[in-house]
Amino acid sequence: MNEHARLTILSSANFSANLLFLMHMNHSSATYAEFACLRVLLEPIILYVHPLIEGRDMDSHSRPPKLMDRVKASMRVKRYSPRTEKTYCYWIRFFIRFHGIRHPAGMGGAEVCAFLEHLAVERRVAAATQNQALNALVFLYRHVLDQPLGDIGDFSRAKRPRRLPVVLSHEDVMRVLSHLAGPMHLMATLMYGSGLRLIETCRLRVRDIDFERQIITVRAGKGDKDRTTLLPGISIPALQRNITVAKHQLEERLQHGSVPVTLPHALDRKYPNAGVSLAWQWLFPASRPCFDDAGKVVLHHIHPSAVQRAVKHAMRAASLSRPGSCHTLRHSFATQLLTQGTDIRTVQALLGHKSVETTQIYTHVLGKDFAGVRSPLG
């Protein structure tokens, strides 16, 4: 068979695999058994075209890597989070397009300065957004191109206004929770009762819950740091039910195809059975499997956007006087602890803040900087 025919089969196989996968995913009554059968049916096609794939990979290794591939490789070596990688790649592409698809190696500080000026003046982005773009370009020139920018000169900086976080009273939070049910209710309870970020809640596994000491271990949180925080007693029965459900789902997957959960970094190679052990199961798994970057069928955690939608609808149903979000529940956790007289350093540790200055913003919300001063009108 000639090369053209084999390429045709390869493209057809990829198309068929994607089509069947989408059909399976959109079928409301799909089971893990059907998914396993689909994988078995596609396996001969994958094995047939595998030599061609290897040949194409060898050709690609002989060429120098593209710029964005170098950026991603550098970020992964330094253990940057996938979200940071996606954001940095976006700003680097934006920078290249802004300067007419010129290669960054042929540009320098003047072009970076002009780009940042454009963001602040023409696009009127927030200060945090402009700083994000600057950090992406500094990383590109320092770690990928090995051409440190140095002093890029003066440019218009977006002003960073001082904003106070939106917080809710305990009564308001309970009204919001009353409009949630099932896993969404439990996740919102943990964000308020433990001070968890949304993504930290989504990434909780069975092994992270310590019922005996009533502690939750947050792993690889913001800044890739671990910490422990409070486990509210009111959520223990619901968490125990979730673990029971996770155990039953794992047993079902083991009987029909053995779909593992996603694991951090290369842990699946070090511990091949970790993905199908109870300790590593997600407390809040996605409703259906997916493909990981290596093409393996895995089970990921629930997508944060699903939780955001549920909490947004609950806050709207609760008729709150101020709009809020998932992060509002975390803000409310901090203010409630400070109101109870908890030491600010303890609150800092529970929230996982790098600096106590970040935690002190909640004292402004409570008005504790007024040192007992009262209005003339009482």
Side-chain angles (χ1 to χ4, degrees):
M1 183 180 296
N2 61 30
E3 185 71 10
H4 176 73
R6 297 191 68 181
L7 286 172
T8 302
I9 292 174
L10 175 62
S11 60
S12 300
N14 285 336
F15 176 77
S16 302
N18 291 332
L19 180 61
L20 287 172
F21 178 70
L22 289 173
M23 291 173 60
H24 174 79
M25 291 295 96
N26 291 327
H27 198 278
S28 58
S29 61
T31 64
Y32 288 108
E34 293 169 347
F35 197 88
C37 291
L38 177 64
R39 187 171 61 178
V40 171
L41 289 172
L42 291 176
E43 189 172 2
I45 300 176
I46 296 171
L47 291 176
Y48 179 78
V49 299
H50 186 260
L52 177 58
I53 296 172
E54 282 189 333
R56 294 169 75 183
D57 287 343
M58 289 176 65
D59 292 339
S60 64
H61 289 320
S62 63
R63 298 191 299 267
K66 296 180 180 179
L67 177 64
M68 298 312 298
D69 292 335
R70 292 168 59 193
V71 172
K72 293 176 182 178
S74 297
M75 297 191 74
R76 290 173 187 178
V77 166
K78 296 180 181 299
R79 297 292 190 186
Y80 279 67
S81 72
R83 299 174 76 185
T84 304
E85 178 185 314
K86 182 179 179 181
T87 302
Y88 276 24
C89 289
Y90 167 80
W91 285 116
I92 291 169
R93 290 190 184 100
F94 197 160
F95 173 69
I96 294 172
R97 289 195 302 269
F98 176 77
H99 287 292
I101 321 297
R102 291 170 59 192
H103 196 284
M107 298 187 283
E111 287 80 6
V112 171
C113 184
F115 176 64
L116 297 174
E117 186 98 12
H118 166 76
L119 292 179
V121 177
E122 301 297 331
R123 295 180 65 88
R124 295 186 292 178
V125 301
T129 303
Q130 190 187 41
N131 289 335
Q132 197 176 65
L134 175 59
N135 292 338
L137 297 178
V138 168
F139 180 90
L140 169 67
Y141 279 94
R142 178 181 297 169
H143 299 292
V144 181
L145 300 177
D146 198 20
Q147 300 175 13
L149 288 172
D151 185 10
I152 62 175
D154 295 329
F155 59 91
S156 298
R157 286 189 173 272
K159 293 183 179 179
R160 186 160 194 166
R162 183 181 177 186
R163 304 290 188 204
L164 294 178
V166 176
V167 297
L168 303 176
S169 66
H170 179 72
E171 292 73 21
D172 285 343
V173 173
M174 299 311 292
R175 280 164 52 200
V176 172
L177 294 179
S178 68
H179 291 281
L180 294 168
M184 297 301 177
H185 180 275
L186 178 56
M187 296 180 79
T189 301
L190 293 176
M191 284 184 276
Y192 175 60
S194 305
L196 298 178
R197 298 179 177 91
L198 170 60
I199 192 64
E200 292 170 348
T201 309
C202 294
R203 290 175 178 170
L204 285 176
R205 300 179 189 263
V206 173
R207 65 195 289 263
D208 300 330
I209 309 298
D210 188 336
F211 291 113
E212 185 176 347
R213 296 189 297 160
Q214 287 196 215
I215 285 176
I216 296 177
T217 301
V218 179
R219 304 183 192 276
K222 191 173 183 179
D224 201 23
K225 295 179 295 185
D226 293 356
R227 75 177 191 280
T228 56
T229 187
L230 309 173
L231 169 60
I234 194 173
S235 64
I236 289 179
L239 281 170
Q240 290 174 334
R241 287 194 297 271
N242 260 39
I243 292 175
T244 302
V245 170
K247 183 178 180 180
H248 291 160
Q249 290 179 346
L250 174 61
E251 291 172 351
E252 181 182 352
R253 298 203 311 275
L254 289 174
Q255 293 174 2
H256 306 98
S258 185
V259 177
V261 295
T262 48
L263 296 174
H265 307 307
L267 202 67
D268 56 337
R269 293 201 299 269
K270 186 175 183 181
Y271 302 109
N273 296 323
V276 290
S277 65
L278 180 60
W280 285 94
Q281 299 306 300
W282 301 113
L283 281 175
F284 307 105
S287 59
R288 58 193 63 166
C290 62
F291 288 119
D292 64 6
D293 293 338
K296 291 174 54 180
V297 179
V298 292
L299 185 65
H300 203 46
H301 60 68
I302 188 172
H303 199 278
S305 62
V307 189
Q308 288 172 327
R309 285 194 299 270
V311 172
K312 181 180 179 180
H313 293 157
M315 289 189 172
R316 190 177 301 162
S319 302
L320 300 179
S321 58
R322 290 169 293 178
S325 64
C326 291
H327 214 64
T328 303
L329 300 175
R330 175 176 157 89
H331 291 324
S332 303
F333 164 81
T335 53
Q336 287 296 320
L337 291 187
L338 291 172
T339 303
Q340 296 169 10
T342 308
D343 178 69
I344 194 168
R345 292 286 183 180
T346 303
V347 178
Q348 176 193 358
L350 292 173
L351 292 173
H353 286 161
K354 184 177 180 180
S355 170
V356 72
E357 293 180 1
T358 308
T359 315
Q360 284 176 341
I361 191 68
Y362 298 111
T363 64
H364 299 300
V365 177
L366 298 173
K368 288 195 172 184
D369 281 354
F370 301 152
V373 177
R374 298 185 62 185
S375 167
L377 295 178

